[in-house]
Amino acid sequence: MQLSRSCVGIPACSRCVEWILRSGNDAFLELPEIKLKRKQLCAHHFAGDQFKDSRRNYLTSTALPMSYNLLDKPQTTLDVKPSTVST
């Protein structure tokens, strides 16, 4: 599968659900196939061994994106100051 603009479309095959689950975007599961075909994942979501070539232009036929897990992202904290309530 050749990459276009460093992005690749979600395949319409048995791997489709696995790609969606690994993308971290569960909303894709609700899309009809015609709209799902328009969605893409960036090439950065794939490990180097998922490509046929060192230039990262072609994915292997069994390529799967890396799992996206929000828990692996650094936690952001909000600086919330307690409000003053006058009684």
Side-chain angles (χ1 to χ4, degrees), residues 36-55:
L36 189 59
K37 286 182 180 181
R38 296 182 194 139
K39 301 299 180 189
Q40 297 183 335
L41 292 179
C42 176
H44 296 290
H45 290 269
F46 295 87
D49 64 349
Q50 300 295 298
F51 292 89
K52 290 181 180 180
D53 62 328
S54 61
R55 293 175 58 200

Side-chain angles (χ1 to χ4, degrees), residues 57-69:
N57 289 331
Y58 296 92
L59 288 172
T60 65
S61 62
T62 58
L64 289 171
M66 293 181 282
S67 293
Y68 179 83
N69 186 344

Side-chain angles (χ1 to χ4, degrees), residues 1-50:
M1 178 180 309
Q2 184 176 10
L3 299 180
S4 168
R5 295 169 284 136
S6 298
C7 294
V8 62
I10 295 174
C13 64
S14 59
R15 292 178 296 136
C16 176
V17 173
E18 186 67 25
W19 276 45
I20 292 170
L21 293 174
R22 288 171 176 247
S23 77
N25 191 342
D26 294 341
F28 284 172
L29 290 169
E30 305 298 323
L31 293 176
E33 186 176 338
I34 190 80
K35 288 187 177 183
L36 189 59
K37 286 182 180 181
R38 296 182 194 139
K39 301 299 180 189
Q40 297 183 335
L41 292 179
C42 176
H44 296 290
H45 290 269
F46 295 87
D49 64 349
Q50 300 295 298

